[in-house]
Amino acid sequence: MCAYHSNPTEPSTGKSERQTPMASTLTQFDRIPVAIFATDNDGEIFYTNDRFLQIVDHNSSAVDCCHALADLENLLSTELIRPARQAIEHRTTFESGQFIFAGAGGRYYLLSISLSPLMLDDICYGVFGTLQDFTETADASESLRRRIKELNTIEEISQALHSTMKTDDILRIILTGATCKEGLGFNRAFLFLLNESENCLEGKMAIGPSNAEEAGRIWGEIPPGTRTLSEVLAAYLQNVANHDIEVNRIARSLKIDLSAPTVFRQVMESGHWCNIDSLSEAVIHDTGVLQALNTHRFAVVPLLSRGKSIGVILADNLITGKQTENNTVHLLQIFADHAASAIENARLFEEIEVKAASLEKANLKLEQVQKQIAAIEKSSLMAEITYKIAHELRNPITIIGGFAALLNRNLNPADKLSEYGRIIVEETLRVEKALAEVLNFSKSFALDRVRCDLWEIVAATIDVLEQTHSPVTIELDPDDGKSPLYVRVNRDQTVQSLHDIIEAVGSCLPDSTPIRLRLGNSETAQRIELHWQIEPEAHERVTSLLAEMLDTRATGSSLRLTLAFETVRYNGGEPGLAASAAQDKYLFIEYPAMEE
Amino acid sequence: MSATIMCVDDELNLLRLYEQVLAEDGFRVVSARSGAEALGKIHAQPIDLVVLDIKMDNKDGLDVLREMKMENPDLPVILHSAYSTYKSDFKSWLAVDYLVKSADLTLLRARIRELLGVDD
């Protein structure tokens, strides 16, 4: 077997001289997409097809580029001669592993070569070789691998976004995903949101270093061993998010006017991303914001929600200066789409939270009102029943008392029956009095509470006292300016109860002792005070008399004070006894102040 | 001649009480248990004063009052009721007085004497 090397001293001979009987058979492979070549038993290449020439980047036949297997071995930098000999001698097929071949023009190929004995009728004519091109498959695999990584990244971001309803956390997740190496790997990312009322974009947040040192510090705080994007996001949110990094401060200070024709307005209006890659382009679009960010190569993507732009993300590689590929910007757009959706959901959630809190408050108030209504209805019904019963009882009481009095008049006073008659008359009158007091209490029970001025109520009460020729003397402390003291009460009930209280107090005091009425207020309550001036030793007696009045086992007049106090409480007030600075006792009635 | 007082009330025992008490005061008492009966009797004889209940079955006391006053505008009528609420009803203003029923008839008797000009 001759050498498999071409002899450069030998003049190249024409192809026809080297043609073997196989050559014509091999012509069927001329156009197939697999690179084919054939050598004779001496290692001389006598056949190549078009694909082979394409790969080795030559327009002519093998004789002009590779005369012998040795030439091919040199060209491909892959051992071929020994395997070819083995294939011929042992009638075996050799397959190489994949190797990279740098073709002319800088094109790289991923190839593998196989050598088989070229047999015909059991005669070996040489070696049949195929050059398999895996370049496209490898490219496709790489592309697929990258795509899978992108999808995984999107999936992780999406999951992270779904884990929170807080707008700030959502913004941090998006920007971290854009900047960490497990994500898109931008150096910096800035997020701007639309302020519709001012027609501008407001900087909300940014992530990324101002310089390489800060870059090391920021990402150095992520614990080692965190590999997935989810882990990085979690670690970032925990460790770094609280640091007020410089870019964040810059971002929050920025406002982009959308009335100016800038790249930001263009992106917002068109809904399409923009990849600015040159200074000149950046200068055209500069609004001063780019100066503040110190960047002229950046990508801007819109945040689109329901077909409308709600903001933009600006990302750049200021620190590394790495060029941003459109593919990466496209991925950033996918991030932004997720972000916009999450931001809108978070805003909606926050709105719902506020409304829910407001509804909760309203619900509590409604519950209170319902309870009050139920109480009023119950009281109203009771009042109605009481009212009817009281009136129905009046007739029989009139009859009983009347006949008892008649009987008494016709009896001898010394007669025991006369005493019985007198008792019947007295007790009948007592029942009648109690009925009258109950009727006074119940008749206005079901009426509404309205805003009333305590000054007006006091004036009305004094009128009633005068009209009924009450023996009680009233003095009213003047109020400077007489500012209204608003409360929410039933006016008639309040006048009635105040009237009854004044009468009750008056009945305990020595004759002609005036009662001084004083009105005042605190932050939360309005107050009527009843003061009287008596000898110190008489105070205790008056107090105990009032206390007795509240004892329902006492005489008929006690019902009046008890009912009056109950009326005050029913209207939300509280009566009580207090002592002044000079230790004089006085009675007060306090109502919750009503907001104006 | 003693004055004649008509008492109108659907409570029989109350009418008997009025008859006894007012008779003791020297008056002649004519009783009616309903508004219709009262209006019938008022035509039959001269009445000097009416003591009239309000809440009665069939005819309301205030309607009876109006009809009585249409017949005889000068007839004094005292409304005597278990209810105080009708005081605010303007139809009750036709009466010379409105008294709430009480076991103590002193006020009623005093008012009757005053209206009829009878000494105590």
Side-chain angles (χ1 to χ4, degrees):
Chain A
M1 193 181 286
C2 290
Y4 279 70
H5 302 271
S6 66
N7 190 343
T9 61
E10 252 185 51
S12 59
T13 55
K15 190 175 177 180
S16 59
E17 289 187 19
R18 298 196 182 278
Q19 197 164 13
T20 66
M22 293 299 295
S24 58
T25 310
L26 294 172
T27 53
Q28 64 184 302
F29 299 123
D30 284 350
R31 301 268 187 274
I32 69 169
V34 179
I36 303 284
F37 67 93
T39 76
D40 59 18
N41 287 324
D42 294 329
E44 297 293 322
I45 295 173
F46 67 88
Y47 173 78
T48 60
N49 72 350
D50 293 346
R51 182 66 184 138
F52 177 89
L53 292 173
Q54 193 181 22
I55 287 175
V56 302
D57 198 28
H58 220 283
N59 291 324
S60 58
S61 68
V63 295
D64 291 329
C65 68
C66 296
H67 301 284
L69 199 59
D71 298 322
L72 192 59
E73 188 178 86
N74 286 336
L75 187 65
L76 299 180
S77 302
T78 299
E79 189 187 27
L80 293 174
I81 295 171
R82 191 180 57 80
R85 281 192 186 133
Q86 283 185 340
I88 290 169
E89 282 173 19
H90 302 292
R91 304 287 194 269
T92 56
T93 299
F94 162 77
E95 281 189 26
S96 75
Q98 289 180 354
F99 57 91
I100 292 177
F101 167 59
R107 172 112 200 249
Y108 285 88
Y109 292 90
L110 186 65
L111 304 171
S112 79
I113 198 163
S114 69
L115 300 170
S116 305
L118 192 60
M119 303 295 293
L120 182 62
D121 297 330
D122 214 26
I123 299 172
C124 180
Y125 286 92
V127 167
F128 178 82
T130 61
L131 205 60
Q132 288 196 47
D133 182 6
F134 293 98
T135 313
E136 281 187 18
T137 309
D139 283 347
S141 291
E142 174 57 25
S143 177
L144 187 64
R145 193 195 61 77
R146 198 169 53 236
R147 194 81 186 120
I148 288 172
K149 181 176 181 287
E150 287 170 4
L151 287 172
N152 283 337
T153 304
I154 292 167
E155 168 68 17
E156 285 182 276
I157 285 284
S158 180
Q159 278 187 8
L161 287 174
H162 278 97
S163 69
T164 179
M165 279 302 222
K166 292 184 186 166
T167 307
D168 277 1
D169 282 351
I170 288 168
L171 301 185
R172 276 192 205 103
I173 288 167
I174 288 297
L175 296 179
T176 305
T179 49
C180 70
K181 69 170 168 37
E182 288 78 4
L184 297 182
F186 281 102
N187 290 168
R188 310 185 303 173
F190 301 80
L191 193 142
F192 299 84
L193 290 180
L194 176 65
N195 180 334
E196 275 189 282
S197 58
E198 292 183 35
N199 194 31
C200 69
L201 287 168
E202 290 177 335
K204 291 294 177 193
M205 195 177 283
I207 285 178
S210 306
N211 50 54
E213 189 192 333
E214 197 176 26
R217 185 175 63 74
I218 290 172
W219 295 113
E221 292 201 28
I222 304 298
T226 45
R227 285 289 172 262
T228 68
L229 178 56
S230 304
E231 289 167 350
V232 171
L233 287 172
Y236 186 88
L237 288 173
Q238 195 174 346
N239 296 327
V240 184
N242 293 326
H243 297 298
D244 194 13
I245 51 179
E246 181 64 19
V247 290
N248 208 21
R249 283 196 289 275
I250 295 170
R252 288 201 301 264
S253 69
L254 293 174
K255 256 188 183 175
I256 305 171
D257 180 15
L258 287 174
S259 57
T262 63
V263 62
F264 301 101
R265 179 169 138 187
Q266 179 192 324
V267 166
M268 287 287 288
E269 284 177 355
S270 67
H272 296 302
W273 53 262
C274 209
N275 192 4
I276 302 292
D277 201 36
S278 71
L279 182 59
S280 55
E281 258 189 298
V283 164
I284 290 168
H285 292 295
D286 195 1
T287 58
V289 169
L290 301 176
Q291 278 185 26
L293 297 178
N294 192 25
T295 186
H296 61 269
R297 293 168 73 180
F298 56 90
V300 182
V301 301
L303 290 160
L304 293 167
S305 175
R306 296 192 202 113
K308 200 180 135 194
S309 299
I310 63 169
V312 299
I313 296 177
L314 183 152
D316 71 7
N317 289 313
L318 179 72
I319 306 298
T320 58
K322 184 182 160 193
Q323 188 179 354
T324 303
E325 290 178 16
N326 284 345
N327 187 53
T328 312
V329 183
H330 176 70
L331 201 54
L332 181 64
Q333 179 64 68
I334 297 175
F335 272 32
D337 291 344
H338 279 78
S341 177
I343 290 167
E344 282 288 283
N345 286 344
R347 279 183 180 166
L348 194 63
F349 184 74
E350 277 160 19
E351 269 182 42
I352 290 171
E353 269 192 323
V354 166
K355 284 203 164 52
S358 168
L359 277 171
E360 181 63 31
K361 248 174 124 175
N363 207 29
L364 279 170
K365 202 157 169 71
L366 186 64
E367 253 184 69
Q368 284 173 357
V369 168
Q370 278 178 334
K371 279 185 185 157
Q372 283 180 356
I373 289 172
I376 287 171
E377 280 177 346
K378 194 174 162 188
S379 303
S380 174
L381 184 61
M382 281 173 59
E384 195 66 30
I385 293 169
T386 309
Y387 192 68
K388 280 202 158 73
I389 290 173
H391 282 110
E392 292 308 313
L393 285 174
R394 259 219 171 103
N395 274 342
I397 285 168
T398 303
I399 294 166
I400 292 166
F403 274 109
L406 207 56
L407 195 66
N408 222 20
R409 281 206 289 276
N410 291 301
L411 286 172
N412 187 340
D415 195 335
K416 217 173 195 169
L417 291 176
S418 174
E419 192 200 344
Y420 299 161
R422 183 183 56 77
I423 290 170
I424 292 171
V425 169
E426 273 176 16
E427 291 305 311
T428 309
L429 286 174
R430 197 172 141 220
V431 170
E432 205 175 90
K433 206 165 182 185
L435 263 181
E437 286 167 359
V438 168
L439 280 168
N440 281 338
F441 175 64
S442 70
K443 72 179 174 194
S444 61
F445 217 89
L447 299 178
D448 293 332
R449 286 198 223 172
V450 296
R451 189 177 84 155
C452 301
D453 179 5
L454 276 187
W455 285 106
E456 192 275 325
I457 283 178
V458 166
T461 308
I462 294 173
D463 277 345
V464 171
L465 288 164
E466 284 170 2
Q467 281 173 19
T468 55
H469 305 292
S470 170
V472 179
T473 308
I474 296 292
E475 290 172 359
L476 185 58
D477 260 10
D479 172 58
D480 300 329
K482 285 222 186 257
S483 51
L485 300 172
Y486 290 119
V487 292
R488 191 172 186 82
V489 294
N490 179 290
R491 186 192 171 281
D492 287 344
Q493 286 179 15
T494 307
V495 168
Q496 180 73 53
S497 59
L498 181 58
H499 169 272
D500 291 348
I501 291 168
I502 289 172
E503 290 263 285
V505 169
S507 70
C508 299
L509 298 174
D511 288 343
S512 306
T513 305
I515 296 176
R516 196 165 68 254
L517 294 181
R518 190 179 287 164
L519 274 71
N521 63 321
S522 64
E523 262 187 38
T524 56
Q526 321 283 34
R527 199 166 155 113
I528 303 171
E529 292 176 359
L530 283 70
H531 293 260
W532 51 88
Q533 203 78 32
I534 53 177
E535 298 298 322
E537 53 271 15
H539 270 293
E540 280 307 315
R541 194 178 67 81
V542 167
T543 310
S544 64
L545 277 173
L546 285 172
E548 266 180 33
M549 281 187 172
L550 294 167
D551 183 349
T552 54
R553 292 169 301 168
T555 60
S557 63
S558 74
L559 198 55
R560 177 188 251 184
L561 193 61
T562 304
L563 289 173
F565 276 16
E566 278 308 307
T567 306
V568 168
R569 289 192 187 100
Y570 179 75
N571 279 275
E574 193 58 41
L577 271 175
S580 66
Q583 297 306 311
D584 292 334
K585 291 273 166 52
Y586 66 93
L587 194 146
F588 67 85
I589 306 161
E590 210 168 70
Y591 291 98
M594 186 181 164
E595 289 167 15
E596 302 234 359
Chain B
M1 195 168 162
S2 58
T4 305
I5 298 173
M6 176 182 276
C7 294
V8 188
D9 203 305
D10 54 356
E11 284 274 355
L12 180 59
N13 286 332
L14 207 47
L15 283 175
R16 289 179 68 176
L17 178 65
Y18 292 150
E19 283 164 10
Q20 293 293 321
V21 168
L22 294 177
E24 270 190 13
D25 286 351
F27 298 110
R28 188 173 156 263
V29 180
V30 172
S31 295
R33 287 191 68 188
S34 69
E37 190 184 333
L39 288 168
K41 284 184 176 177
I42 213 157
H43 294 303
Q45 59 206 292
I47 304 293
D48 297 302
L49 185 140
V50 179
V51 175
L52 177 61
D53 187 21
I54 296 177
K55 276 206 61 91
M56 293 185 288
D57 292 337
N58 298 321
K59 214 166 178 74
D60 188 84
L62 294 178
D63 291 333
V64 173
L65 168 66
R66 186 176 61 83
E67 287 186 43
M68 282 183 178
K69 294 299 272 188
M70 279 170 70
E71 281 274 334
N72 184 357
D74 295 325
L75 178 65
V77 178
I78 296 174
L79 288 171
H80 196 218
S81 174
Y83 293 84
S84 57
T85 45
Y86 293 101
K87 278 187 188 178
S88 56
D89 191 335
F90 71 90
K91 286 189 282 187
S92 69
W93 299 351
L94 288 171
V96 294
D97 210 339
Y98 189 124
L99 300 176
V100 177
K101 283 177 184 172
S102 171
D104 184 359
L105 293 172
T106 312
L107 190 57
L108 175 65
R109 293 162 67 199
R111 193 67 178 117
I112 290 172
R113 281 198 293 272
E114 184 187 351
L115 287 167
L116 293 175
V118 173
D119 292 331
D120 231 345

